[in-house]
């Protein structure tokens, strides 16, 4: 037998580990790998910082802030134009009928946004059928008018009461009452749609009601403020009922179905509500002489501004976060006050009205809190209390996006130690 060979009996113990001396090439590779690892470690904080603040998020936030400012400016300017139009042509139903017809442009504007944002383009007819599934499978003029007629009535009622309220109270008060519509939406959704009960939103609704009472009795018990606030509350309630019924029929409100519905509302206003304008004219409820000049320029400016406001509110979610659009609705209060101060110079706000606007704003902000805000806050506070809020723990975690688009911590791989 060869002396260099040996017999090895099988053993159940662990296999021996062989150590090899590194060759010059392997030493070079190991040195290059160490340099690459050091460079990656030095660049890791910046990459992770960019992962936390990606360019897309920053762009959406910047776009949202711009759109929120546009929401506030369009509403304030449109409200000012509506008040001037009512002074020159006191026919509120005719004015809101004329403005409602412009809603026909909603779906073309949505389709234009669809072409700008979506990678997979679709034909207008295909996109319209996709977005109008809540109306039915077979789309005919009769089905569209029948499905959109109740929403058209609520839309016209809300706008009509809004103009009547604008005749009696200031633009700032009307904007504050508009913010209370969110509280009515929560109450109707809780009762009708069985939404989750949240104590903070009940408190927010109570604050909104307190603010409304303060606005109504800000000038005393014998003034037009009570009637104006009551008309504004009716307008906000009709708008809230419109949104809740649409949510009950179409599910979660998306820009596509909302644009189809509002276009159908404009069609219904043109077809079904024209006879109401004729009836009001011949009964001298809203009558003007044939020789009287109608301010078509003011009407077109008002209709275009309200269209811009509704387009930004309903379609702004395609470009930014919906919470920023909601912030724009809250900013309508200071925007209206700025218009009254610097443009018309007619701002007259007492301390009671200022306090009421502040209470309504606080309630509106509380209504924007997400459903799991308390759990997230308690988890964050407990993390701070245990002292785990360290930079190494933050940097050491990697985040991944789940299917819902929520950032979650990526689990670290398990390390096995050989004894």
């Amino acid at each position: 037998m060869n002396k260099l060979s040996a017999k090895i009996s099988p053993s159940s113990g662990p296999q021996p580990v062989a150590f090899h001396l590194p060759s010059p090439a392997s030493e070079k590779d190991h040195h290059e790998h160490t340099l690459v690892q050091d460079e990656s470690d030095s660049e890791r904080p910046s990459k992770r910082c960019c992962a936390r603040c990606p360019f897309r998020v920053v762009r959406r936030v910047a776009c949202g802030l711009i759109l929120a400012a546009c929401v506030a400016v369009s509403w304030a300017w449109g409200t000012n134009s509506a008040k001037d139009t009512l002074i020159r042509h006191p026919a509120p139903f005719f004015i809101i009928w004329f403005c409602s017809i412009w809603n026909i442009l909603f779906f073309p504007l949505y389709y234009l946004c669809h072409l700008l944002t979506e990678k997979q383009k679709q034909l207008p007819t295909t996109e319209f059928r996709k977005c109008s599934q809540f109306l039915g499978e077979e789309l005919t003029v009769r089905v569209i008018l029948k499905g959109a007629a109740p929403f058209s009535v609520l839309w016209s009622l809300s706008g009509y009461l809004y103009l009547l309220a604008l005749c009696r109270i200031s633009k700032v008060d009307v904007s504050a009452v508009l913010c209370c519509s969110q509280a009515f939406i929560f109450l109707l959704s809780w009762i009708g749609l069985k939404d989750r009960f949240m104590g903070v939103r009940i408190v927010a609704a109570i604050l909104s009601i307190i603010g409304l009472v303060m606005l109504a009795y800000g000038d005393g018990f014998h003034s037009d403020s009570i009637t104006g606030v009551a008309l504004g509350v009716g307008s906000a309630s009709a708008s809230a009922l419109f949104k809740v019924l649409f949510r009950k029929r179409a599910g979660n409100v998306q820009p596509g179905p909302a644009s189809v519905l509002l276009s159908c509302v404009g069609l219904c206003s043109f077809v079904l509500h024209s006879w109401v304008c004729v009836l009001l004219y011949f009964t001298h409820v809203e009558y003007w002489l044939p020789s009287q000049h109608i301010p078509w320029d003011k009407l077109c400016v008002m209709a275009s501004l309200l269209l811009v406001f509704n387009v930004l509110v309903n379609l702004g979610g395609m470009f930014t976060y919906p919470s920023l659009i909601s912030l724009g609705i809250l900013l309508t209060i200071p925007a209206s006050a700025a218009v009254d101060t610097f443009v018309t110079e007619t701002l007259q706000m007492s301390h009671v009205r200022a306090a009421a606007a502040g209470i309504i704003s606080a309630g509106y902000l509380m209504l924007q809190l997400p459903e799991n805000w308390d759990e997230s806050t308690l988890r964050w506070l407990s993390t701070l209390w245990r002292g785990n809020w360290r930079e190494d723990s933050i940097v050491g975690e990697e985040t991944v996006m789940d299917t819902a688009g929520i950032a979650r911590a990526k689990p670290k791989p398990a390390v096995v130690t050989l004894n």
Side-chain angles (χ1 to χ4, degrees):
M1 189 172 104
N2 194 355
K3 294 182 179 179
L4 297 178
S5 63
K7 290 184 180 181
I8 301 174
S9 60
S11 174
S12 59
Q15 298 294 329
V17 180
F19 293 92
H20 301 277
L21 293 176
S23 61
S26 63
E27 289 181 355
K28 182 179 180 181
D29 294 340
H30 177 71
H31 181 66
E32 292 179 356
H33 178 72
T34 305
L35 292 177
V36 171
Q37 185 176 4
D38 293 337
E39 291 178 359
S40 63
D41 290 337
S42 63
E43 295 177 359
R44 188 175 300 170
S46 61
K47 290 182 179 180
R48 282 168 180 165
C49 181
C50 295
R52 288 198 199 95
C53 302
F55 175 73
R56 183 178 179 182
V57 174
V58 175
R59 184 181 62 182
R60 285 177 68 89
V61 171
C63 182
L65 294 177
I66 295 174
L67 292 181
C70 292
V71 167
V73 171
S74 61
W75 172 262
W77 192 6
T79 304
N80 183 55
S81 179
K83 196 141 191 171
D84 293 342
T85 306
L86 285 171
I87 295 174
R88 298 186 180 185
H89 189 70
F93 191 87
F94 173 77
I95 293 173
I96 200 63
W97 170 79
F98 179 78
C99 294
S100 299
I101 295 176
W102 287 54
N103 287 339
I104 298 177
L105 300 175
F106 250 93
F107 183 76
L109 293 174
Y110 163 77
Y111 185 72
L112 179 62
C113 297
H114 167 76
L115 294 178
L116 295 175
T117 57
E118 297 294 333
K119 295 182 179 180
Q120 297 180 355
K121 319 298 182 185
Q122 294 184 357
L123 295 175
T125 54
T126 305
E127 188 68 19
F128 184 84
R129 290 183 178 276
K130 174 184 176 182
C131 298
S132 60
Q133 293 179 356
F134 66 96
L135 293 175
E137 297 180 357
E138 297 182 1
L139 291 179
T140 59
V141 177
R142 181 180 179 181
V143 170
I144 292 176
L145 293 178
K146 183 180 178 181
F151 298 97
S152 178
V153 172
L154 290 174
W155 183 274
S156 299
L157 179 62
S158 177
Y160 181 68
L161 294 176
Y162 153 73
L163 293 180
L164 290 180
L166 198 58
C167 296
R168 291 170 173 82
I169 57 179
S170 65
K171 297 184 283 290
V172 180
D173 295 345
V174 172
S175 301
V177 175
L178 169 71
C179 294
C180 295
S181 176
Q182 196 72 21
F184 301 149
I185 292 174
F186 163 69
L187 294 176
L188 291 175
S189 301
W190 178 39
I191 297 173
L193 301 180
K194 307 299 181 183
D195 281 359
R196 178 186 173 186
F197 174 81
M198 292 182 61
V200 65
R201 293 186 179 178
I202 291 293
V203 174
I206 294 174
L207 290 178
S208 300
I209 295 173
I210 293 174
L212 290 175
V213 173
M214 294 177 65
L215 284 178
Y217 295 100
D219 295 334
F221 294 93
H222 303 284
S223 63
D224 290 336
S225 298
I226 299 176
T227 306
V229 172
L231 292 171
V233 169
S235 175
S237 301
S239 177
L241 184 60
F242 177 94
K243 295 179 180 180
V244 171
L245 289 179
F246 177 55
R247 182 183 166 192
K248 183 176 181 180
R249 180 159 188 174
N252 293 330
V253 179
Q254 299 294 331
S259 64
V260 170
L261 179 63
L262 291 174
S263 295
C264 295
V265 165
L267 181 62
C268 287
S269 298
F270 179 74
V271 175
L272 301 179
H273 297 173
S274 302
W275 61 271
V276 180
C277 294
V278 176
L279 181 63
L280 293 177
Y281 180 81
F282 284 106
T283 56
H284 286 229
V285 176
E286 293 186 359
Y287 180 78
W288 60 89
L289 295 175
S291 60
Q292 182 179 350
H293 174 69
I294 300 177
W296 292 109
D297 53 345
K298 292 288 184 180
L299 283 172
C300 292
V301 169
M302 174 188 171
S304 59
L305 288 172
L306 292 181
L307 177 65
V308 169
F309 172 78
N310 289 306
V311 165
L312 293 176
V313 169
N314 291 279
L315 304 184
M318 301 176 65
F319 302 96
T320 184
Y321 302 103
S323 57
L324 295 177
I325 301 297
S326 301
L327 178 63
I329 297 177
L330 179 61
L331 293 178
T332 56
I333 299 178
S336 300
V339 169
D340 283 346
T341 303
F342 300 104
V343 179
T344 61
E345 297 181 356
T346 58
L347 181 63
Q348 296 179 357
M349 179 175 287
S350 61
H351 296 288
V352 177
R353 293 183 178 276
I359 292 174
I360 291 174
S361 300
Y364 184 86
L365 290 176
M366 292 174 66
L367 286 168
Q368 303 306 316
L369 294 174
E371 293 186 354
N372 58 344
W373 72 274
D374 50 350
E375 299 176 359
S376 302
T377 304
L378 290 176
R379 190 182 307 113
W380 180 70
L381 291 176
S382 62
T383 304
L384 289 178
W385 180 259
R386 289 195 301 265
N388 294 329
W389 187 262
R390 298 191 305 269
E391 185 179 357
D392 55 352
S393 64
I394 298 173
V395 176
E397 288 185 350
E398 297 181 0
T399 57
V400 294
M401 300 297 292
D402 60 1
T403 57
I406 303 174
R408 302 184 184 279
K410 182 178 180 181
K412 297 181 180 180
V415 179
V416 180
T417 305
L418 295 177
N419 294 327

